Amino acid sequence: MAVRALCSRQAFRLCSVLASTSSSSSSLGRQQSNRGLRVGFLGAPFNKGQRRVGVSEGPQAVKDTGIITSLQDLGVDVKDYGDVEPDNNNNNKPTDDAGDSLHLGPNGERHFEAVLTYNQRLSSKVGEVLKDGRLCVTVGGDHSIAIGTIHGHAHTNPEHQVVVLWVDAHADLNSGTTSPSGNMHGMPAAFHITNLSSRHAKLQDGFPQPSLATIHLAYIGLRDVDKGERAFLDQLGIVNYGMRDVDRLGMREVVARCLDHLSPSTTRPLHVSFDIDALDPLEAPSTGTPVRGGLTLREGLVVVQEAWAGGHMGALDLVEVNPHLGTPTDAAYTAHAAKEIIMGALVGGYSQ
Ligand SMILES: NC(=[NH2+])NCCC[C@H](N)C(=O)O
Ligand SMILES: [Mn+2]
Ligand SMILES: [Mn+2]
């Protein structure tokens, strides 16, 4: 039933990613239809958007699941572009270490310049992957890296336009003045919204330039939203589906509404920014800001599989896997959940 619904959806929407028109759900059918799918993998081992050590090990932990081989086994052409390394070699230091200067931004943003200069480099790298004709998968790293990934995606596109599906327990819509923490992983979405970007300090050359009208962003999974963020969501009318909406409507309906609203297209491709903390901590325990009452892995998969089926996905972020948190088993479990989500987004899942 689920598969049939997925296929009929696929039939109604133009799918830019799949070369084949086959909608067979057999593993052979999938394998054939993945031919022609070209993916670029980028690691973004950056941790200065938050305070916990270990999130810079996220890309390696996800790679250690064997994800690249699994994709290749399904016929996907995957190129590993390696990591965009942070400038200094002290990236593993706790970011609130006494000796580590915080370099606050004008509104108290922690590591303001380090976050933005890193993201400027990341943005160019994302552009490079996309210009190679590949769907760009960026594995973080903390969520501040979405400043660079979305910027790179939007500004590579001739019209400078994308739509963004943000899957997260948090809205990440703070500015320096509304943020309760000063952590920039709680701010990336706001940098891209034209109506909010004037609240943000920029680098001297103007980076990052905003690219999203409020109608080009939609949220799924919210359950820990700060007061200032709630005010922005309400005032700007940004489409957002929290956990109560998921309870009431079911995830298939929630994603369908988000995708209808965003209507990704060839000229306005879809960027999915998936924070692993959207999942319940029982599913993904090794993450820095866990919030109970979250998505099951199945619900997370419904989000990405429907996004896949709808087509036009140009880039995907998978962030906030921190293998230093919890037990080694927790870390492996979390990395595996991340793998499932990425596979679901790229090939519609592989183990069903
Ligand atoms: N990407 C994340 N995990 N963000 C968590 C943000 C938490 C909180 N809203 C803050 O701004 O500090
Ligand atoms: Mn989050
Ligand atoms: Mn986030």
Side-chain angles (χ1 to χ4, degrees):
M1 177 61 189
V3 169
R4 212 174 315 135
L6 195 80
C7 290
S8 65
R9 197 175 171 79
Q10 202 173 338
F12 284 116
R13 287 171 178 272
L14 272 175
C15 183
S16 64
V17 167
L18 297 176
S20 163
T21 52
S22 162
S23 60
S24 162
S25 63
S26 72
S27 59
L28 185 63
R30 284 221 173 96
Q31 214 157 337
Q32 284 168 346
S33 59
N34 294 324
R35 254 181 232 142
L37 173 58
R38 303 176 78 231
V39 170
F41 242 78
L42 265 185
F46 188 78
N47 71 0
K48 282 189 158 31
Q50 49 84 67
R51 303 180 196 206
R52 310 195 71 162
V53 190
V55 74
S56 49
E57 312 293 326
Q60 194 55 53
V62 173
K63 267 187 204 162
D64 287 346
T65 64
I67 185 165
I68 292 184
T69 318
S70 297
L71 285 166
Q72 286 167 340
D73 287 348
L74 292 172
V76 181
D77 171 352
V78 189
K79 178 172 172 189
D80 186 355
Y81 286 76
D83 291 344
V84 177
E85 293 290 348
D87 265 342
N88 40 17
N89 288 328
N90 69 351
N91 197 45
N92 277 330
K93 266 172 59 182
T95 49
D96 49 359
D97 240 10
D100 185 19
S101 162
L102 290 176
H103 301 292
L104 296 181
N107 295 308
E109 302 92 336
R110 297 165 60 99
H111 302 290
F112 176 78
E113 197 145 330
V115 170
L116 292 188
T117 51
Y118 178 78
N119 274 289
Q120 193 162 33
R121 286 194 290 122
L122 180 58
S123 168
S124 318
K125 194 73 190 181
V126 167
E128 197 183 303
V129 175
L130 293 167
K131 281 177 205 145
D132 284 350
R134 293 177 183 273
L135 192 162
C136 184
V137 177
T138 309
V139 181
D142 71 61
H143 215 163
S144 69
I145 64 141
I147 296 172
T149 58
I150 294 172
H151 186 275
H153 192 187
H155 291 268
T156 303
N157 190 304
E159 318 255 309
H160 288 195
Q161 289 173 337
V162 291
V163 288
V164 178
L165 182 59
W166 198 283
V167 191
D168 203 326
H170 310 93
D172 294 345
L173 200 56
N174 277 303
S175 65
T177 44
T178 63
S179 169
S181 63
N183 294 333
M184 290 189 77
H185 77 157
M187 309 180 189
F191 276 93
H192 300 295
I193 308 251
T194 320
N195 290 1
L196 289 179
S197 105
S198 62
R199 296 174 161 269
H200 282 273
K202 308 275 160 57
L203 289 181
Q204 263 171 7
D205 60 7
F207 178 88
Q209 294 82 4
S211 57
L212 302 176
T214 49
I215 53 163
H216 299 141
L217 172 65
Y219 287 100
I220 297 179
L222 301 183
R223 58 191 183 278
D224 182 10
V225 177
D226 298 321
K227 219 169 144 199
E229 294 179 308
R230 179 51 66 192
F232 290 146
L233 289 174
D234 292 348
Q235 282 160 21
L236 300 172
I238 298 173
V239 166
N240 64 99
Y241 290 91
M243 292 309 299
R244 242 184 118 205
D245 300 308
V246 175
D247 295 337
R248 280 199 291 219
L249 300 167
M251 188 54 100
R252 293 184 66 82
E253 177 66 18
V254 164
V255 194
R257 289 189 189 189
C258 286
L259 291 174
D260 280 349
H261 173 75
L262 295 172
S263 318
S265 64
T266 317
T267 49
R268 200 183 274 284
L270 176 66
H271 188 113
V272 176
S273 204
F274 200 110
D275 185 329
I276 201 71
D277 72 27
L279 301 185
D280 191 89
L282 289 170
E283 302 272 20
S286 297
T287 191
T289 47
V291 189
R292 294 182 70 187
L295 304 180
T296 63
L297 177 56
R298 292 301 323 166
E299 286 168 328
L301 285 169
V302 169
V303 176
V304 291
Q305 288 171 347
E306 290 297 286
W308 164 78
H312 305 295
M313 194 185 299
L316 168 71
D317 313 324
L318 193 299
V319 298
E320 300 281 354
V321 172
N322 184 336
H324 286 207
L325 301 177
T327 64
T329 310
D330 289 339
Y333 199 64
T334 308
H336 182 261
K339 175 187 183 181
E340 292 276 338
I341 292 295
I342 297 170
M343 301 283 293
L346 298 180
V347 295
Y350 66 107
S351 55
Q352 288 76 17

